[in-house]
């Protein structure tokens, strides 16, 4: 039987550790690297990071917004970056946070998870405001193409609390409902699931048994956003190895543009994450 | 003083009526038009609709998902479609439903609302799951470039209810909180505001005084999704003219690919919407 995204991810995280290199070519970061805030700057930055990621980390996560701001030319760079990462055996998570109603989600799922799409990644992040159930086209296409989906659940930013901690009519908080629905989906099959949750590094207040998920967690917030690797390790200490992905971008990229300084920074964080989980 | 998006939109809706032609080049629709499900099919479909929209409607709404599924080439078509619509004086709403945390939203806002972006539209739809407050970069850039933002509030699809009708700690339902926050934003300035709400055509159960919004409503769900123009007109009957945008796509495109049949269909719906509000 073919290996699922969840199984492949789980094995790679166990082998190489949970650091994920975030590729976030914002205006600010390009300028810090003395690169123009242009398609050329974008391409230089993104390809340099992919090259550095090879052999050092299992997973990279391009932030789609920073490519989209250059329109079709930015997307051509993203396609190239995804192809290079694929050829090098890196696992790619397109951080796109897409989400709409059913038929439209087929379009988004095609974009990020269809084998024929130039933008195909190993997984994509999605947004549940229109209902976790509305995301079924992502889950289904991911399953049939051996890819994955990460659903926004509980984020660290203060503005997100009002919605995420609201109570549904059954009395459950929204973030708990999202997590439970993902868990139920993963438990339909045996083994490590292919639907993950995005949970902010400071959200140890969420009432959920992380170890019951049978799927991966994508945990942003470490580095310049203020959380520590140790904090994340404590939060997920009861989870099995290979469960948690820790994306870091700014804190690593600040070492650039020197490639040796960047490599040192990646290794330092990779070691810290590997030793902590 | 320069005219805002809200003022411009309001005037055009009063002059031309509230029908918005949705441009939804899904696989299904392209096949119904006997066009290949390819970039070429996409381009034919989207440009034919823009051409037909001119002089018939005030607003078009390309569904970004269906362009994104062809990657950078699909986006090149979208850029061309937006440019042609702009040149023809159509108001464009990029139905992208984007949303992330602060710094990333700057990237998305740049993509859709910055004067220099090839993807710039007159307005973009956004998703509030990470907090309405997290969308401030969209609101700010829209204000400074005289563009607009439509925030998902209360949708018609059944799966959305669990989240949108959840109660925040203050006892308010999430959809009401989103609507109230938009209203507060619009009331910071005088006149018709530039931040709108996406409200499904069947959501007359939402506890909100529509006429207090001082901004536009984008109301999908009419046509093949089951709601009638009359239903929407009744729901917003107390709102001033020029407030409600009714996007229709499938029900019109089903008349294609014959251009005369499409034109007749657009005119029929345009008249019905104009007469109802």
């Amino acid at each position: 039987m073919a290996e699922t995204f969840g199984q492949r991810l789980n094995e790679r995280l166990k082998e190489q550790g949970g650091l994920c290199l975030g590729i976030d070519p914002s205006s600010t970061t390009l300028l810090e690297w003395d690169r123009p805030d242009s398609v050329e700057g974008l391409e230089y930055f993104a390809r340099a990071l992919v090259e550095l990621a090879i052999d050092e980390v299992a997973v990279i996560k391009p932030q789609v917004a920073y490519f989209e701001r250059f329109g079709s030319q930015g997307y051509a760079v993203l396609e190239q970056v995804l192809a290079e990462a694929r050829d090098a055996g890196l696992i790619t998570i397109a951080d796109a946070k897409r989400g709409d109603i059913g038929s439209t989600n087929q379009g988004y799922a095609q974009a990020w998870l269809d084998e024929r799409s130039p933008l195909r990644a190993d997984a994509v992040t999605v947004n549940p405001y229109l209902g976790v159930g509305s995301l079924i086209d992502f889950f289904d296409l991911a399953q049939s193409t051996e890819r994955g989906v990460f659903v926004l659940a509980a984020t660290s930013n203060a503005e997100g609390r009002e919605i995420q901690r609201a109570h549904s009519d059954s009395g459950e908080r929204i973030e708990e409902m999202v997590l439970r629905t993902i868990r139920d989906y993963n438990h339909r099959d045996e083994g490590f699931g292919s639907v993950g949750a995005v949970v902010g590094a400071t959200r140890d207040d969420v009432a959920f048994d992380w170890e019951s998920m049978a799927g991966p967690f994508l945990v942003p917030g470490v580095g310049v956003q203020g959380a520590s690797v140790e904090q994340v390790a404590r939060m997920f200490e009861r989870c099995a190895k290979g469960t948690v992905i820790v994306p870091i971008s700014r804190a690593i990229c600040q070492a650039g543009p020197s490639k040796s300084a960047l490599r040192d920074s990646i290794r330092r964080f990779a070691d810290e994450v590997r030793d902590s989980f």
Side-chain angles (χ1 to χ4, degrees), chain A residues 77-247:
Chain A
V77 173
L78 180 55
E79 288 166 3
Q80 190 183 14
V81 163
L82 289 168
E84 286 177 7
R86 211 159 36 230
D87 291 346
L90 289 163
I91 290 176
T92 54
I93 301 174
D95 199 356
K97 300 195 174 74
R98 297 301 189 252
D100 206 297
I101 56 163
S103 51
T104 306
N105 282 337
Q106 286 174 16
Y108 283 129
Q110 273 183 276
W112 301 103
L113 302 172
D114 191 295
E115 190 56 40
R116 292 159 302 181
S117 171
L119 287 171
R120 67 191 181 279
D122 291 295
V124 65
T125 58
V126 298
N127 181 315
Y129 188 75
L130 300 181
V132 185
S134 73
L135 301 170
I136 191 72
D137 285 300
F138 285 101
F139 301 163
D140 286 350
L141 188 60
Q143 188 170 42
S144 73
T145 62
E146 290 159 20
R147 290 187 160 81
V149 181
F150 288 86
V151 185
L152 276 175
T155 63
S156 287
N157 68 314
E159 309 95 340
R161 301 297 161 93
E162 194 165 17
I163 291 182
Q164 296 163 27
R165 291 185 69 76
H167 288 92
S168 73
D169 285 344
S170 67
E172 199 177 26
R173 288 193 195 269
I174 292 307
E175 56 198 19
E176 296 161 19
M177 181 277 289
V178 172
L179 290 161
R180 178 183 50 76
T181 310
I182 300 170
R183 178 176 63 197
D184 291 347
Y185 190 89
N186 283 329
H187 279 273
R188 298 189 326 172
D189 297 306
E190 283 192 29
F192 196 78
S194 295
V195 180
V198 181
V199 177
T202 60
R203 298 306 312 281
D204 56 3
D205 58 325
V206 180
F208 187 75
D209 290 331
W210 308 114
E211 65 272 31
S212 70
M213 177 59 94
F217 294 101
L218 180 64
V219 188
V222 171
V224 295
Q225 286 174 269
S228 67
V229 172
E230 198 199 333
Q231 208 174 336
V232 179
R234 217 168 27 236
M235 183 169 155
F236 293 97
E237 63 188 353
R238 294 166 62 191
C239 290
K241 261 186 115 59
T243 303
V244 177
I245 305 167
V246 179

